[in-house]
Amino acid sequence: MGADISTAQPIESPGLKALAIPPRLAGNPSSAPQFPTTVRSVDGGEVIGGDPRATRALVALMNVHAVNGGAACHWGGPAAFAEIMAAIHGIMFRTEDRPWYEAFNFVNDAGHTENGIYALRANLGFDNMTLEDLRGFRSISSKLTGHGESHLNPEGMLLSNGPLSSTVAQAQGLAIGDRAAGRDRVTVLTVSDGASMEGEAKEAFAAIPGLAAKDLVNPFILVISDNNTKLSGRINDDAFCMQPSFDAMDDLGWDVISVGNGHDLQAVFTALEKGIAAAKETPTKPVCLLVKTIKGFGVKATEESASGGHGFPLKGGEKIVEFVSEIWSGNVPKALTEWANELRQQWEAHQAAKAGSGAAPAAVKKSKIQAGLAVGAINAAKEGYPVYSVSSDVQGSTGISAFQKSFPDRFVEVGIAEANMVSVGAGLAKAGFIPIVDTFGQFGATKGNLPLTMAALSQAPVIAIFSHVGFQDAADGASHQATTYFAATSAIPHTAVVAPSCSDEAEALMYQAIQRYAAARSARQDGETTIFFVGRENYPIYWVENAQYEWGKAQVISAGSDVTLIGSGPLFSKAQQAAALLGEERILATVINNPFVNQVDIATIGPAVSNTGGRVVTIEDHQIIGGMGAQVSHALSRNGIAHQVRSLGIDGEFGQSAYLAEHLYEKHGLTGPAMAKAAKELLGKA
């Protein structure tokens, strides 16, 4: 690569004019807030906005509905942001000469606070929302998704969010676009201190003021909620201090305005007004509001929690009355009291029904698949293998926290920075350790993709645990649902992509992966990266008692002569269900568990397919394109094995929020009955 010494003459052309894209955002609310509060503007006028206490109470109430439906929720983040969001909306919706969205781009990067925005907007009557709409939060029938999703809620969302820092640079692009189009519009971006740890955020934090100084960016306001808290605990304690990063914002070119108490609505409102005025006056110097907040503010227990009550501390309606009362210091509006009492009564009725149902039948022992991965790593470390864990905040969800608690001197948390995590693992590999990195599948397969490639290219393989794949992360919605993870990683050289379907299998394969890693490196071989993709739900700890798990081999769970059913990972149980349904009609199926996705065990799968007349049905929690089924079919074709295949997967669509993954499986036809139907179609018996 060399310098660009090409030449070209400027070309005369029509002036640059942006496409006329019809707006889809809802306009200014036309009525007063149901639960109002007032602040004073810098010009002395009175501004009526939404009461932050109402936001917190409504978040708690809507969360109970989601919890009752089976979904996880967030409380700490929206509680911290309540005053910030009230101030921003109070200013935006004061716009009188045009729709608010022509005066402002509003981008919320802190996706875990989106339910706080829904609550505030229902209070304000935005988009004709009512309190009743909040009851459907995170359900498959609601556009009020777990994180903001513009493909389902274009009236309320300009940009989809969820993965921290994913919208920071997009907001930068909006402001550059407005400058190029000559629009009079201010971009307001809200982020968390956790998102500020991500590489994308750090790049944009430098680029926005750098490009603004060249007069390429419209007025830009960055609002950072700084509470030293992330999902798993305090940032300073678990990772490293972020204060030096924030201290450097003015050196990067930001006009920094500090707000010492982010729960003083008047102080936040005034700082925001002054910041907008400064950015408009000097667009070449963007404004950063650094706002000190308390995660989980409004309830003493969550304020004092190490994680700030990041999730939702209530598991139903048992204590919702007291929770809402504490938020309002006992003076709860009647409508909210009645709602809280209703939820409490529902909880009481549910408890009474449980008590009257008698003893539950004995259940098959179940466990999360990632628990087996942690046990495999622990067993290997106990035998002396130099296993070292590198995490980026979600080790409790990925299961590797069990290893870290067993060996507290064998892990490091790099903060919310998945790309950095994988690259740190590669460095540890070069230093002679066996690194295990972990995060959610969506972040590992996307943010970690180039680092995974470079790790393999540097002969520095890692072992990865990427969890919550596919629709398993149902409630968090499309932004968190990894549906391209096989396609994104299967073609990386020297990489094994493995999707275990039970904890016993996961334990055995993790132990073998570590053994193989050590043997290869000790023999001066490059070795290979192993990526374990797992779900989040509980599954039987084994499918066949006393099963043997051999590296690189598929498992034939049952043999039949009519059709071969192949599954892996979270949806393997659907193949077994399909086989049982087919058996009721005297259709005999071979059922295969295929964990080695990109290293297809043709020696096992090939004869099974031939013995069933070449009829194959696959099922997976992944896009059909580039998925497990596609790779199986390709391997069969390359080996000259004639077959007809029906691949059940996600057919080119994004997911969405739902209380349960099963709701999404049913919507997308990823069920045992659907697999049985596909098999009968191959047999001409549908």
Side-chain angles (χ1 to χ4, degrees):
M1 298 174 67
D4 181 4
I5 58 174
S6 62
T7 60
Q9 295 297 318
I11 298 174
E12 291 188 10
S13 65
L16 181 64
K17 186 176 181 181
L19 297 174
I21 302 174
R24 301 180 70 182
L25 290 165
N28 301 39
S30 58
S31 58
Q34 186 169 345
F35 308 104
T37 191
T38 59
V39 292
R40 289 285 175 183
S41 65
V42 292
D43 61 10
E46 185 178 79
V47 180
I48 300 174
D51 192 326
R53 294 175 300 174
T55 295
R56 295 186 176 96
L58 290 170
V59 165
L61 292 163
M62 63 198 282
N63 279 2
V64 172
H65 285 277
V67 168
N68 288 345
C73 298
H74 295 113
W75 155 256
F81 266 91
E83 283 77 14
I84 292 172
M85 295 304 179
I88 291 172
H89 283 73
I91 290 173
M92 291 193 307
F93 292 162
R94 285 187 81 199
T95 305
E96 295 180 350
D97 60 334
R98 50 190 165 148
W100 70 272
Y101 50 76
E102 291 184 3
F104 294 95
N105 291 315
F106 170 62
V107 178
N108 174 41
D109 183 77
H112 51 278
T113 73
E114 201 65 44
N115 51 343
I117 296 176
Y118 300 148
L120 171 62
R121 289 181 171 180
N123 181 18
L124 299 175
F126 174 82
D127 191 23
N128 297 315
M129 287 174 62
T130 67
L131 303 190
E132 190 69 22
D133 293 319
L134 300 179
R135 293 171 177 255
F137 172 57
R138 287 200 165 196
S139 72
I140 199 168
S141 60
S142 174
K143 69 178 183 179
L144 304 184
T145 53
H147 297 88
E149 296 179 19
S150 60
H151 74 297
L152 294 176
N153 186 12
E155 299 84 5
M157 295 298 307
L158 180 60
L159 297 175
S160 295
N161 61 39
L164 293 180
S165 83
S166 62
T167 57
V168 176
Q170 291 186 41
Q172 173 186 341
L174 284 170
I176 293 172
D178 281 343
R179 197 62 166 175
R183 300 188 184 108
D184 175 23
R185 185 154 55 192
V186 177
T187 294
V188 179
L189 167 68
T190 55
V191 304
S192 65
D193 46 1
S196 301
M197 307 177 85
E198 290 279 13
E200 299 102 315
K202 293 181 183 297
E203 292 173 9
F205 286 178
I208 292 168
L211 294 173
K214 300 175 74 172
D215 201 22
L216 294 173
V217 182
N218 249 30
F220 198 101
I221 310 293
L222 169 66
V223 184
I224 300 176
S225 171
D226 175 19
N227 47 54
N228 186 34
T229 314
K230 53 187 179 58
L231 185 153
S232 59
R234 302 300 179 189
I235 294 175
N236 287 1
D237 296 338
D238 293 351
F240 54 85
C241 180
M242 285 293 291
Q243 193 57 49
S245 296
F246 296 141
D247 290 343
M249 294 297 279
D250 58 352
D251 292 330
L252 290 173
W254 293 89
D255 178 4
V256 179
I257 299 175
S258 295
V259 181
N261 180 4
H263 303 298
D264 180 339
L265 178 59
Q266 182 64 66
V268 175
F269 189 92
T270 300
L272 188 61
E273 272 198 306
K274 290 180 177 179
I276 291 172
K280 285 183 172 181
E281 182 177 352
T282 312
T284 53
K285 194 172 183 66
V287 173
C288 171
L289 262 66
L290 192 58
V291 184
K292 287 288 186 180
T293 59
I294 298 171
K295 196 168 181 181
F297 184 82
V299 173
K300 186 173 185 290
T302 54
E303 290 178 15
E304 296 176 349
S305 165
S307 67
H310 180 88
F312 186 51
L314 305 185
K315 305 306 178 185
E318 179 184 10
K319 299 179 180 179
I320 187 62
V321 174
E322 296 84 353
F323 201 85
V324 171
S325 179
E326 183 174 351
I327 292 168
W328 282 88
S329 301
N331 300 311
V332 187
K334 181 180 178 183
L336 303 184
T337 297
E338 291 175 349
W339 191 352
N341 284 329
E342 175 193 338
L343 290 169
R344 166 70 188 189
Q345 291 164 10
Q346 289 176 3
W347 179 84
E348 291 173 345
H350 179 69
Q351 294 302 111
K354 282 174 60 178
S357 63
V364 176
K365 185 176 180 182
K366 293 185 176 183
S367 175
K368 294 186 184 298
I369 298 172
Q370 47 265 56
L373 294 173
V375 171
I378 290 169
N379 290 339
K382 285 164 60 177
E383 293 185 12
Y385 290 100
V387 179
Y388 200 101
S389 168
V390 188
S391 288
S392 58
D393 189 39
V394 293
Q395 52 265 53
S397 298
T398 62
I400 199 62
S401 62
F403 174 89
Q404 295 176 356
K405 291 174 181 177
S406 300
F407 303 98
D409 60 341
R410 292 193 182 195
F411 82 94
V412 63
E413 185 184 315
V414 298
I416 304 173
E418 296 82 7
N420 187 36
M421 172 192 68
V422 175
S423 293
V424 168
L428 283 163
K430 276 293 190 181
F433 296 95
I434 303 176
I436 298 179
V437 301
D438 68 285
T439 185
F440 290 173
Q442 177 74 318
F443 310 150
T446 54
K447 296 186 178 188
N449 196 278
L450 180 57
L452 286 167
T453 300
M454 295 308 298
L457 189 58
S458 298
Q459 303 87 47
V462 301
I463 296 173
I465 299 173
F466 292 159
S467 69
H468 293 55
V469 296
F471 290 150
Q472 288 278 291
D473 198 1
D476 280 332
S479 65
H480 279 50
Q481 291 163 358
T483 65
T484 61
Y485 53 100
F486 291 151
T489 56
S490 287
I492 300 175
H494 312 300
T495 300
V497 173
V498 185
S501 58
C502 64
S503 60
D504 275 8
E505 179 183 37
E507 177 184 339
L509 295 182
M510 172 60 85
Y511 181 81
Q512 291 178 61
I514 293 170
Q515 276 190 319
R516 288 167 51 82
Y517 186 112
R521 303 296 278 166
S522 298
R524 303 186 68 179
Q525 298 170 0
D526 293 348
E528 67 178 6
T529 286
T530 301
I531 305 175
F532 290 101
F533 286 112
V534 297
R536 72 177 297 181
E537 297 178 354
N538 291 321
Y539 292 88
I541 61 172
Y542 55 77
W543 303 110
V544 177
E545 198 168 0
N546 299 318
Q548 299 298 307
Y549 305 99
E550 184 179 348
W551 189 266
K553 299 297 290 183
Q555 275 186 306
V556 177
I557 303 298
S558 60
S561 57
D562 295 318
V563 65
T564 297
L565 308 179
I566 303 176
S568 62
L571 290 187
F572 175 69
S573 61
K574 308 297 185 185
Q576 292 189 294
Q577 182 186 6
L581 292 171
L582 292 169
E584 293 174 1
E585 300 183 42
R586 297 187 179 181
I587 298 172
L588 305 180
T590 292
V591 178
I592 296 179
N593 172 31
N594 176 39
F596 293 90
V597 175
N598 70 335
Q599 298 176 356
V600 179
D601 176 17
I602 201 70
T604 299
I605 295 175
V609 171
S610 295
N611 291 339
T612 55
R615 292 178 287 271
V616 185
V617 183
T618 66
I619 191 167
E620 58 193 305
D621 199 356
H622 186 278
Q623 297 290 339
I624 293 172
I625 295 174
M628 181 270 292
Q631 294 185 55
V632 167
S633 182
H634 188 213
L636 291 169
S637 295
R638 289 185 67 189
N639 285 273
I641 299 172
H643 65 286
Q644 292 178 286
V645 63
R646 295 287 187 275
S647 293
L648 302 188
I650 305 163
D651 195 8
E653 297 293 336
F654 288 112
Q656 65 184 89
S657 282
Y659 289 156
L660 302 171
E662 194 61 35
H663 296 167
L664 291 164
Y665 294 148
E666 290 170 359
K667 178 176 179 178
H668 290 266
L670 304 179
T671 65
M675 195 175 194
K677 179 182 177 183
K680 289 193 289 183
E681 288 173 351
L682 285 176
L683 289 159
K685 297 182 178 181

